[in-house]
Amino acid sequence: MWRGLWTLVSRAARGPHSPRLCTRQGSGYRAPGSGATIFALSSGQGRCGIAVIRTSGPASGHALQSLTAPRDLPPARKACLRLLSDPRSGEPLDRALVLWFPGPQSFTGEDCAEFHVHGGPAVVSGVLQALGSVPGLRPAEAGEFTRRAFAHGKLSLTEVEGLADLIHAETEAQRRQALRQLDGELGDLCRGWAETLTKALAHVEAYIDFSEDDNLEEGVLDQADSEVRKLEVALGVHLRDARRGQRLRSGAHVVVAGPPNAGKSSLVNLLSRKPVSIVSPEPGTTRDVLETPVDLAGFPALLSDTAGLREGVGPVEQEGVRRAQKRLEQADLILAVLDASDLASPASCNFLDTVVIPAGARNPNGSRQRLLLVLNKSDLLPAGRSDLHPDLPSHLLLSCLTGEGLDGLLEALKKELAALCGDPSTGPLLTRSRHQHHLRGCLDALGQYKQAKDLALAAEALRVARGHLSHLTGGGGTEEILDIIFRDFCVGK
Ligand SMILES: Nc1nc2c(ncn2[C@@H]2O[C@H](COP(=O)(O)OP(=O)(O)OP(=O)(O)O)[C@@H](O)[C@H]2O)c(=O)[nH]1
Ligand SMILES: [K+]
Ligand SMILES: [Mg+2]
């Protein structure tokens, strides 16, 4: 390899046009009000065994000493038992474990203190009031600890998002995905891609600067082209997957549909383990679309109960049917329910013909509508005759009444949802539309690189592409994005 090229690689990495890639050096962004020392209850509200109160900022050490006087500061990062008392009155508040984290080796990068107190409301409010009386301390805003961690380069933007998702994760799959993002996998991936672009840029710049020079190795530009082509493929794969990561974050849309009285509402109540919908023997009970968030076999889903599909009914039910059909069009997955003891009825046949069979056919872009066919009320079938329907599309037998077949249904749902949401244990997913936006921007810029007639324009396109990757991880992150992300956080985080 030509000797000067690696100097150029590093020059391109630092170059005047290159936005600094946010690694562990600090985001270059200063958290608002960052001079103050903040404090907050960081564990959950309410009565509990132990509550954790923490502070961050330059007066943390003074605050810790004020509450534990006359003792000195404990050794760094070692839990010590101390009597806490109110610095104004000297009144004892609690005997508690305290920890001292001098910056920069702390969560926020600043001096931090932690008080692990007994979780009674009076103890917690006593310690919070005592901290409030220490000069230079004020209560923290929502997300302020994390914001400071970001400002000091302790977390990248994608890691901050991972942390927000982890706090809000309600299902196992969401937790796994958030943890991976918090571990920095998405950020690492982007940084790897950015490095590839930096190298390609170095090749192009080398060509611009030294093409007259005999020393330049053959094929320098071809090398850049091939790097860009490989990157395009990788970005394309992730973008195609993008909807999955977002579904995992916000829940797949699962729509329960079928003819009247098939037991749709009974199934929704069974899956959500609460009485969401009214169940009655009267056909046409459900009219509006009823949505409920549920954890289906470890995946988050938004489950919709809909009106039974049939014709020739009054105007209110007709409106219900129209809404049901509209919801079906938006479904990520249809849970089609039929009454196993009533398969020959016109409503059942019509539903099979208009919803179930068409879903199995491929649409123009080659994909199918995902659908699980459930034959409910299997308890009404004659004993030992559960194989009555060889000519139906593949289906599962279920009884909402006895619960028989529920495990099989959950297993099938898990498979479908894993395909829809992606498996968070196989690789980092794009969890937000912001991620998608920057990857698309990067891909567009690579398209411009390929079309550029002039090498200076080609180099500029590579810089734009790299800028998008850098923005994704928070390099040059704008206030606006930060506000949106930190708004999701709770006080104390
Ligand atoms: N035997 C039996 N009855 C069931 C089962 N599931 C539901 N049912 C009964 O079937 C009737 C209709 O149930 P729903 O859940 O209201 O049916 P639906 O499909 O929501 O009905 P609409 O909202 O009117 O379209 C009720 O009387 C339920 O108790 C089952 O597995 N076995
Ligand atoms: K009903
Ligand atoms: Mg119903």
Side-chain angles (χ1 to χ4, degrees):
M1 166 70 51
W2 176 68
R3 191 161 34 85
L5 210 50
W6 293 110
T7 334
L8 278 162
V9 171
S10 48
R11 193 185 78 188
R14 286 181 274 104
H17 306 284
S18 87
R20 186 153 47 83
L21 299 175
C22 175
T23 55
R24 303 281 162 186
Q25 309 145 6
S27 61
Y29 148 82
R30 212 174 126 80
S34 49
T37 298
I38 50 173
F39 66 92
L41 172 66
S42 284
S43 51
Q45 298 281 349
R47 223 174 289 274
C48 52
I50 290 170
V52 178
I53 294 166
R54 62 176 169 175
T55 73
S56 177
S60 288
H62 175 61
L64 181 51
Q65 251 178 334
S66 303
L67 266 70
T68 55
R71 307 283 299 267
D72 284 338
L73 275 181
R77 294 176 296 282
K78 286 223 162 62
C80 295
L81 191 64
R82 290 282 190 275
L83 178 70
L84 302 185
S85 30
D86 191 310
R88 293 161 300 185
S89 59
E91 193 187 330
L93 298 168
D94 192 12
R95 194 168 288 282
L97 280 184
V98 298
L99 283 133
W100 166 233
F101 300 95
Q105 281 165 283
S106 66
F107 173 68
T108 60
E110 303 177 325
D111 285 354
C112 289
E114 273 183 23
F115 302 84
H116 295 214
V117 302
H118 292 100
V123 175
V124 170
S125 78
V127 175
L128 289 176
Q129 276 177 30
L131 284 172
S133 75
V134 177
L137 263 70
R138 65 157 171 83
E141 311 272 343
E144 211 174 354
F145 285 92
T146 314
R147 213 167 170 141
R148 289 182 176 205
F150 172 69
H152 293 113
K154 290 281 173 174
L155 295 168
S156 76
L157 201 53
T158 43
E159 287 166 335
V160 168
E161 288 170 332
L163 185 57
D165 286 350
L166 191 63
I167 294 167
H168 292 116
E170 285 179 1
T171 69
E172 230 179 280
Q174 281 176 321
R175 189 199 64 220
R176 257 182 273 138
Q177 165 166 281
L179 207 55
R180 289 181 74 103
Q181 193 169 329
L182 177 60
D183 281 346
E185 287 196 13
L186 184 56
D188 288 347
L189 190 67
C190 288
R191 277 189 285 274
W193 288 338
E195 262 168 45
T196 304
L197 283 177
T198 300
K199 278 186 208 161
L201 187 56
H203 287 123
V204 174
E205 287 187 340
Y207 197 85
I208 294 173
D209 293 350
F210 301 99
S211 58
E212 315 283 291
D213 195 326
D214 305 337
N215 280 341
L216 194 59
E217 200 182 73
E218 282 285 304
V220 161
L221 280 185
D222 294 344
Q223 230 167 313
D225 285 351
S226 111
E227 301 268 24
V228 165
R229 261 196 309 277
K230 269 189 249 159
L231 185 58
E232 269 185 314
V233 173
L235 289 174
V237 169
H238 273 80
L239 272 171
R240 268 194 295 285
D241 252 14
R243 272 288 295 144
R244 301 203 296 173
Q246 285 174 43
R247 264 189 215 119
L248 184 53
R249 195 169 163 259
S250 48
H253 289 262
V254 179
V255 178
V256 181
N261 259 4
K264 301 177 295 299
S265 300
S266 307
L267 179 56
V268 166
N269 293 349
L270 187 65
L271 290 175
S272 61
R273 291 172 234 104
K274 52 183 188 257
V276 177
S277 296
I278 300 174
V279 168
S280 95
E282 194 179 313
T285 305
T286 307
R287 304 285 175 88
D288 284 317
V289 175
L290 283 169
E291 271 183 354
T292 182
V294 290
D295 175 343
L296 284 181
F299 288 89
L302 198 64
L303 196 59
S304 298
D305 189 12
T306 61
L309 299 173
R310 63 170 168 178
E311 287 164 359
V313 288
V316 178
E317 200 178 333
Q318 231 168 47
E319 175 59 19
V321 169
R322 197 189 63 76
R323 290 180 186 201
Q325 275 158 344
K326 185 139 180 276
R327 190 51 65 102
L328 273 179
E329 288 165 17
Q330 300 159 349
D332 292 320
L333 170 66
I334 298 174
L335 253 182
V337 188
L338 285 172
D339 179 339
S341 67
D342 184 42
L343 292 171
S345 72
S348 293
C349 294
N350 191 39
F351 181 71
L352 278 167
D353 289 343
T354 57
V355 177
V356 179
I357 312 265
R362 286 188 187 278
N363 56 25
N365 62 30
S367 63
R368 288 173 218 258
Q369 166 73 59
R370 290 187 180 272
L371 181 143
L372 277 178
L373 178 59
V374 178
L375 305 187
N376 183 34
K377 310 197 188 182
S378 61
D379 55 287
L380 296 180
L381 296 176
R385 299 291 307 278
S386 52
D387 54 347
L388 281 172
H389 326 285
D391 41 342
L392 277 182
S394 74
H395 54 267
L396 297 149
L397 279 173
L398 174 75
S399 168
C400 288
L401 189 72
T402 66
E404 199 169 343
L406 181 61
D407 288 345
L409 174 60
L410 285 174
E411 204 47 49
L413 276 168
K414 187 175 185 170
K415 273 202 199 119
E416 292 290 332
L417 289 166
L420 274 168
C421 301
D423 181 351
S425 50
T426 58
L429 294 162
L430 309 176
T431 50
R432 302 185 183 226
S433 53
R434 194 181 73 77
H435 302 160
Q436 222 174 325
H437 164 80
H438 285 302
L439 285 201
R440 196 156 287 135
C442 181
L443 206 53
D444 288 350
L446 294 183
Q448 276 161 19
Y449 164 83
K450 290 200 301 191
Q451 284 167 8
K453 300 221 164 42
D454 161 343
L455 278 178
L457 288 178
E460 185 52 29
L462 290 180
R463 282 189 206 102
V464 171
R466 195 177 54 177
H468 275 289
L469 296 177
S470 157
H471 272 101
L472 210 158
T473 49
T478 63
E479 284 291 314
E480 230 170 296
I481 299 174
L482 294 173
D483 281 341
I484 293 170
I485 293 170
F486 286 104
R487 207 168 47 204
D488 273 5
F489 277 81
C490 29
V491 174
K493 197 60 219 160

